[in-house]
Amino acid sequence: MRFGVLGPLAVWTAGGAEVRVPEVKVRALLADLLAHEGRPVSADRLAFDLWGDEPPGNPVNTLQTKVSQLRRALEAAEPGGRELVAHGPAGYSVRVDASTVDLLRFRELVAAGRFGEALALWRGEPLAEFADAPFLAAVTARWTEERLAALEEFAEAGAVDLADEVARHPLRERLRGLHMRALYRAGRQVEALESYAELRRLLADEQGLAPGPELAALQQAILTHDPALGPADGGARTNLPAPVTDLVGRDDAVDGVRGLVGRSRLVTLTGPGGVGKTSLAVEVARRAAVGDGVWLVELAGVGRDEQVAHAVADVLGVREDAPGGFAGGRSDDLVDRLVEALRGREVLLVLDNCERLVEPVAALVSRLLRAVPGLRVLTTSQEPLGLAFEVVWAVPPLDVDAAVALFAARAAAAAPGFAVTPDNTQAVEAICRRLDGLPLAVELAATRVRGLGVTALLDRLDDRFRLLATGHRDAPARQRTLRAMIDWSWDLLGDAERTVLRRLSVHVDGCALDAAEAVCAGGAVAADEVADVLAGLVNRSLVVAPDHRGEPRFRLLESVADYGRERLREAGEFDEVRRRHAEFHLALAERADRELRTAGQLRWLRRLDADTANLRAAHDVLEPAGAARLARALTWYWFLRGRLREGLRLMTSPDPVTAAWRAGFGVLVGEPVDPAAAAGTAEIADPLDRARARWFLGYVLSTVGDMPSAEELTDRALEAFEELGDEWGVASAHSDRVSQALARGRLDRSWASARRSSELFTRLGERWGQLKASFGLGVLAQLAGDLARAEAVHREGLRVAEELESWPEVSYKLSWLGRVALATGDYAKARDLHERARRAAAEHGFAPGEVYAETGLALGARREGRLDEAEAHWTRLLDWHRRVGFEAGATLVLAELGFVAELRGDAARALEVQSRGLALARQVGDPRAVA
């Protein structure tokens, strides 16, 4: 595990995933421990740092609680993480070294003279979120001083843009002097002298002092053009083109790359064609303060490896001696001449469009950088140069807001008077999203507004290559059309790369490596070669790099995917590859159906989440029998995720397994129960499928109050699960027996089932099951009057439900917490919890959750004396019970309507309603309702 203090407090796993440390006080505790760099800190000192003069009642015990929370967070992120927080006689400490905390690594790199790498570790102000904490002020000030000292050493050795640092530290004389020298050598003598005057004014106003003798001498040297300062003629120092349009949406990117160029001698901007690498590089170069100039070398038209050095030499004005050039070994002579021409100078060289010449460019850049200390190189390429000292910066597509701004600017230029308005905003945003925020594609689309308007433009994007087939005549040929842009990249690929790329295009919204291997292999590409080919395509910026947290996924930009599918059809592989894609995802779903009932549940939920679009695409391709298998395999996933209507839409097979689950889903979205559903389970041939279908119907009927029917189904399912040795099924059935036994007044049986369910689900490690078991334990604790225990159980259950993103269970847990709040008399809290529960259920079409939440709102309204509101709630609930065919479940509704009438003083109405409720309670045999 690694810790970051050189910026906002951060924690990462060894694999690079960010670790969330919850609660401000726990984060402050970690910051305090890290600020002591591994040295122990006494409990009293930590308590004072955290709470100052307003400590909690027992600060040491509260501190121990915070330490435990910190250890839990670290352990949850990475096994063994809790051991990093140690305790000894002298107090608490965190175990760190240069490999695990960025501050110590920074010092190690500075000591080795590797200033650029050291400064790159800084992400902002140290421990920024605790900037106002008194216990950290001296520490962070010391660290900031260390950074400035390193920056100044780095600036002594080469070109670093110091303008921002001088603005932040205007009275620091050494920093000011370095900046003045850089301005002078860039031909900006007046600005250098103005900088000195500003410092002199600040010192006089704030401290009554004058600049030191070294800075005064530097001012005099600038005035007299002392040769020791280097050239300052201010003459032509660049061949950069003058800007003709604004660079839209790239302010942060320009700042980020400028910082990299200031700290690193070789920076490569990568990204797909059309993402704006050249525009960004040129803008960064325009703003660079480099003593001896900035030079742009365009390599797109260079055809042979040996011509790379000639292209650089032509731009720099380095001439060849012989008319025939440097053929054969003479090319080395030209590189030597380049070295001599650059030696002793500070130059930024921008090498544009290197992707067709990566090897010769890499060789030239490596040789020049090693021989010329003052040289810096910024390259643009669809793939990195692959040099050890290269810093790679992937240029991202524009976000939606920036893409819309670019579209608006270019469309207004093509169609004067065009503007983004409330009427067309949605269409423009959709265009920009469909074009992946690629600046070139957005600009090409904007030129069509004059002839089509935005609505027709959006409608025609399915045929984007025909639509975006005209561009600006002064653009390079490869950038005049969308197809030409991708053709440029396609032409760079080998046969294996083209095969994998076109086959990858059948995936929707990306895929995992195992899917890519299954679908993209075949012919000349073996399955075990796909990973390497994919890595090459990521390097070439044609496949979007996988997220480095968790399992890798590979994705194509929409335009590249459309292009790939065209190539797939040209190769005659479209139908076969789609079939392989569908078969893989059918097998994936069937495996996941098993794994979702194990300790690996959360990982498999996330996998199916990520592949939702692929699974839908597979369903559309599979023949009816395969589609039915896929729907059955996804049923439990749909339930866990609360995607009930999606399940109902795709459960179209007439087989008895699907019919049973479809009936259960129908009840959960508020439909009446199919009376034939329970009997139909007898037609299910497989005993495990039959038991699960009966269990699920029993669970569903329990949620709507039909306890007699539910209990019969649950008991039959439990008997079958026990015969089959299915512990998951046994645990699930017992979890439903809790509420069923309560309805009969059997507290002993309810407690026994709650404990049995919890024990089995805990042993299995299945998170949803543990959540389900916690419901019973929490309810029983509440009935026993242990409200603190009930709240703790339900709150932990809510945490697990949110982690699982099981929205039906989130709704239920919020409602149960609301019931506990009602029992404690905290009606405002109860109302908030029940409203949240109702919204969570409504957003996912989970009718029983809505009903249960509204029941809580009704209970609270009646207890607060808001009788009209309570009656409105109860009337809606009574109608719902009638609509779904379970009027027998309305005993509580009738009792509460009776209480409302009683509170209004209407004794006759109260007696009439309560009498109906008593008759119904006796009919269903619920002793609690009878009482």
Side-chain angles (χ1 to χ4, degrees), residues 16-52:
E18 190 167 353
V19 177
R20 180 175 174 268
V21 179
E23 194 186 328
V24 173
K25 290 297 184 189
V26 180
R27 291 175 61 80
L29 168 64
L30 177 58
D32 203 349
L33 292 173
L34 289 170
H36 286 82
E37 302 172 22
R39 299 184 299 277
V41 193
S42 71
D44 289 342
R45 171 63 186 274
L46 287 170
F48 182 78
D49 286 349
L50 293 183
W51 292 287

Side-chain angles (χ1 to χ4, degrees), residues 691-737:
R692 285 180 176 170
R694 284 173 172 164
W695 164 77
F696 183 65
L697 286 172
Y699 161 80
V700 167
L701 294 178
S702 294
T703 66
V704 295
D706 186 359
M707 291 303 181
S709 302
E711 192 170 16
E712 180 184 353
L713 285 162
T714 300
D715 287 347
R716 295 175 69 185
L718 177 58
E719 182 181 353
F721 286 138
E722 287 174 336
E723 288 178 3
L724 293 166
D726 184 347
E727 288 193 334
W728 184 91
V730 171
S732 298
H734 273 294
S735 71
D736 290 329
R737 270 192 160 186

Side-chain angles (χ1 to χ4, degrees), residues 507-512 515 553-556 581 585 610-611 614:
H507 295 93
V508 188
D509 199 24
C511 67
R553 290 186 65 81
F554 301 88
R555 183 174 65 84
L556 298 180
H581 172 272
H585 286 92
D611 275 313
N614 283 312

Side-chain angles (χ1 to χ4, degrees), residues 540-873:
R540 291 180 182 273
S541 304
L542 282 165
V543 174
V544 177
D547 188 337
H548 298 295
R549 298 169 295 179
E551 296 193 13
R553 290 186 65 81
F554 301 88
R555 183 174 65 84
L556 298 180
L557 299 178
E558 191 171 332
S559 295
V560 176
D562 280 358
Y563 184 92
R565 286 189 286 272
E566 280 195 7
R567 293 290 187 171
L568 196 62
R569 289 186 176 92
E570 288 175 7
E573 296 180 335
F574 187 74
D575 291 336
E576 168 61 19
V577 173
R578 280 213 309 169
R579 181 189 61 76
R580 289 212 302 265
H581 172 272
E583 289 177 351
F584 173 85
H585 286 92
L586 171 58
L588 177 75
E590 291 182 330
R591 181 184 173 192
D593 187 39
R594 298 188 297 272
E595 298 292 343
L596 286 175
R597 295 175 174 85
T598 70
Q601 180 183 71
L602 187 57
R603 182 169 69 86
W604 281 92
L605 280 171
R606 289 171 178 163
R607 175 64 191 269
L608 293 180
D609 287 346
D611 275 313
T612 292
N614 283 312
L615 291 162
R616 289 171 181 159
H619 185 274
D620 293 342
V621 170
L622 290 165
E623 78 289 350
R629 280 173 56 195
L630 181 60
R632 286 195 298 271
L634 290 174
T635 299
W636 188 236
Y637 165 72
W638 287 327
F639 169 77
L640 290 176
R641 280 290 185 249
R643 296 181 182 175
L644 304 175
R645 296 198 179 277
E646 179 178 359
L648 285 171
R649 190 170 62 253
L650 297 179
M651 290 176 180
T652 56
S653 172
D655 70 274
V657 175
T658 303
W661 285 84
R662 185 172 60 240
F665 272 38
V667 173
L668 294 177
V669 299
E671 297 175 1
V673 173
D674 178 1
T681 59
E683 300 176 21
I684 300 174
D686 183 85
L688 182 57
D689 285 344
R690 185 167 60 248
R692 285 180 176 170
R694 284 173 172 164
W695 164 77
F696 183 65
L697 286 172
Y699 161 80
V700 167
L701 294 178
S702 294
T703 66
V704 295
D706 186 359
M707 291 303 181
S709 302
E711 192 170 16
E712 180 184 353
L713 285 162
T714 300
D715 287 347
R716 295 175 69 185
L718 177 58
E719 182 181 353
F721 286 138
E722 287 174 336
E723 288 178 3
L724 293 166
D726 184 347
E727 288 193 334
W728 184 91
V730 171
S732 298
H734 273 294
S735 71
D736 290 329
R737 270 192 160 186
V738 175
S739 55
Q740 294 164 4
L742 278 176
R744 292 195 177 279
R746 293 288 307 276
L747 275 172
D748 55 341
R749 180 172 174 177
S750 189
W751 270 112
S753 284
R755 293 186 181 108
R756 180 68 171 145
S757 176
S758 179
E759 170 196 326
L760 287 173
F761 277 132
T762 300
R763 187 162 73 218
L764 290 169
E766 201 265 68
R767 305 285 280 165
W768 176 86
Q770 293 175 51
L771 171 63
K772 188 80 163 52
S774 76
F775 154 79
L777 294 173
V779 171
L780 290 167
Q782 184 171 349
L783 288 175
D786 190 350
L787 298 182
R789 171 66 179 158
E791 181 175 19
V793 170
H794 290 315
R795 194 158 294 285
E796 174 61 17
L798 175 62
R799 186 190 66 78
V800 175
E802 289 174 337
E803 180 185 42
L804 285 171
E805 297 178 34
S806 180
W807 307 118
E809 297 299 338
V810 166
S811 175
Y812 275 145
K813 284 299 176 184
L814 286 168
S815 284
W816 273 107
L817 285 166
R819 298 299 202 274
V820 175
L822 281 176
T824 62
D826 191 342
Y827 298 134
K829 180 179 179 182
R831 188 164 57 250
D832 175 65
L833 287 163
H834 284 119
E835 276 293 353
R836 288 168 58 196
R838 187 189 60 76
R839 287 196 301 271
E843 286 169 6
H844 294 84
F846 186 56
E850 284 190 80
V851 168
Y852 203 68
E854 185 159 15
T855 300
L857 290 169
L859 287 168
R862 195 264 294 171
R863 294 184 190 188
E864 290 185 79
R866 293 180 284 109
L867 302 182
D868 291 347
E869 182 181 331
E871 185 173 34
H873 283 306

Side-chain angles (χ1 to χ4, degrees), residues 55 66 75 185 223 309 389 398 416 470 686 692 722 758 769-770 780 879:
K66 301 305 176 190
E75 183 69 25
R185 297 190 69 183
L223 287 168
F389 44 84
L398 296 173
T470 56
D686 183 85
R692 285 180 176 170
E722 287 174 336
S758 179
Q770 293 175 51
L780 290 167
D879 289 343

Side-chain angles (χ1 to χ4, degrees), residues 117-142:
E117 294 175 62
L119 292 165
L121 296 174
W122 285 74
R123 297 170 289 110
E125 294 299 319
L127 296 176
E129 67 185 283
F130 303 106
D132 297 330
F135 66 93
L136 288 174
V139 175
T140 55
R142 185 173 68 250

